[in-house]
Amino acid sequence: ERIALIDRNGETVLSVDYKDGGDWPSEADGDGYSIVLSNQQGDPDAAANWRPSLNKGGTPGRQNSNTPEPLIVINEVLAENTNTIKNGAIFPDFIELKNVAGTDVYLQNWSLSDNPAKPRKFNFPAGIVIKANSYLTIWMDDNHETPGLHAGFAMDKDGDTIALFNPAGERIDVVTFGLQLSDYSIGRTENGWTLNHPTPNKSNSNAGLADLKKLRINEFVAAATPGGDDWIELYNMDEKPAALFGLSWEIGLGQFTYRRLSYLAPKSYKVFVADEKPGVRNLDFRLPADGGTILLRDQNGAEIDDVSYRTQTDGESRGRYPNGNGSWTTFTTTVSPGQANYRPAIEGIQINE
């Protein structure tokens, strides 16, 4: 189902696509509870960003009830460990917990899951303790021959959820992330989550981020062939990873803010589908085939890049050539989503010297 707030021009201001099962809280499906948005700045389409109300009937017209502060939080996540942190002879992904309480916490019967509504995918065994203000790393694999705790399930580097539950099965903490980079982790800060250099069992170490002025709309299709989808390609011209959370898109009078914790690698390309659907690679709008303007802004509202276009022909793309700072041109036979733009090879006689 979809709930959307529409302005007087017919444009979507805010929307949520939800389900009455799967990862979504089941308490709201016939049990009398409402579901509450946990993080106003988070992705409203992410099931993990919603929790059941504390009481039946919810709090219509009143402030939402607060949940108690957690004793343990998810502090760091590495979802694509290629060759940066070794455990034994391999490089598994990991999550790190942090004890933010002033006392030791025993984790027997606490659990982890990749479904925010279903605990106990991994149960902590007896004897596991996190000392006050200390850390605990859990390896996201099933290789029990190597040291440490092993969750027995993996994470998806293209977007996933990790939730922490107490012995009663109550969700204590959760993080949903988007597109992740090889050998970079994400870590908790006072202001939310950010890109890190992996530091299991240690304080987080922030990684440098790209200057968003070097992020470009590099190619797009506004008139996909029948059965296809329109899309927009971003190109990160910087030598550092670009943070995509909070980027705001404007298409005519419509606006959409991307709220997935995603990153774009240096000197790389990423395609996002303009299909009004939820997802880490999806944008909640469609591109008008009869022309328009695509505008990209940062979290502070400053313009990053824009492009205006006229009526488009089915299956053709518009893109920059050379990539990043080149002029806009039409590609008919060399449409290249997720790759560098290029012109078709020239046949026949050529000037050689």
Side-chain angles (χ1 to χ4, degrees), residues 47-67:
N49 201 31
W50 295 84
R51 61 172 176 82
S53 58
L54 297 181
N55 300 301
K56 288 188 176 183
T59 54
R62 306 191 305 275
Q63 183 176 353
N64 296 333
S65 301
N66 294 324
T67 56

Side-chain angles (χ1 to χ4, degrees), residues 65-260:
S65 301
N66 294 324
T67 56
E69 290 295 321
L71 301 176
I72 305 293
V73 297
I74 301 168
N75 192 59
E76 186 178 5
V77 176
L78 175 59
E80 178 71 356
N81 185 8
T82 303
N83 59 9
T84 184
I85 300 295
K86 202 171 187 178
N87 187 41
I90 60 175
F91 295 90
D93 303 340
F94 72 80
I95 69 166
E96 176 194 80
L97 304 181
K98 182 179 181 180
N99 181 347
V100 294
T103 184
D104 298 353
V105 176
Y106 292 80
L107 292 183
Q108 182 176 352
N109 290 328
W110 286 60
S111 66
L112 293 170
S113 179
D114 54 3
N115 184 325
K118 294 182 179 180
R120 308 201 183 286
K121 191 163 187 177
F122 165 72
N123 286 297
F124 286 89
I128 303 299
V129 179
I130 304 185
K131 298 289 185 180
N133 302 311
S134 296
Y135 306 91
L136 178 68
T137 295
I138 300 93
W139 304 103
M140 304 304 289
D141 64 5
D142 58 2
N143 191 338
H144 298 281
E145 296 180 357
T146 55
L149 295 170
H150 301 267
F153 64 95
M155 294 181 290
D156 187 347
K157 66 181 178 62
D158 290 333
D160 213 333
T161 292
I162 294 295
L164 174 68
F165 300 85
N166 67 14
E170 298 167 331
R171 196 176 76 193
I172 300 302
D173 195 19
V174 64
V175 58
T176 293
F177 54 84
L179 304 168
Q180 300 298 289
L181 304 182
S182 176
D183 294 333
Y184 284 93
S185 64
I186 52 172
R188 184 186 292 270
T189 71
E190 293 182 356
N191 300 315
W193 289 80
T194 189
L195 196 67
N196 275 2
H197 297 294
T199 56
N201 293 329
K202 299 178 182 178
S203 299
N204 293 338
S205 174
N206 293 351
L209 294 173
D211 180 355
L212 291 182
K213 294 179 181 178
K214 296 182 180 180
L215 191 62
R216 291 289 183 269
I217 302 170
N218 198 59
E219 189 180 9
F220 68 92
V221 166
T225 54
D229 291 309
D230 298 343
W231 50 266
I232 301 174
E233 176 191 83
L234 292 181
Y235 173 40
N236 178 13
M237 300 172 58
D238 206 308
E239 302 288 344
K240 298 178 180 179
L244 304 184
F245 180 91
L247 294 184
S248 177
W249 298 85
E250 294 180 15
I251 310 296
L253 298 175
Q255 183 174 343
F256 166 68
T257 300
Y258 183 83
R259 298 195 182 280
R260 297 280 181 165

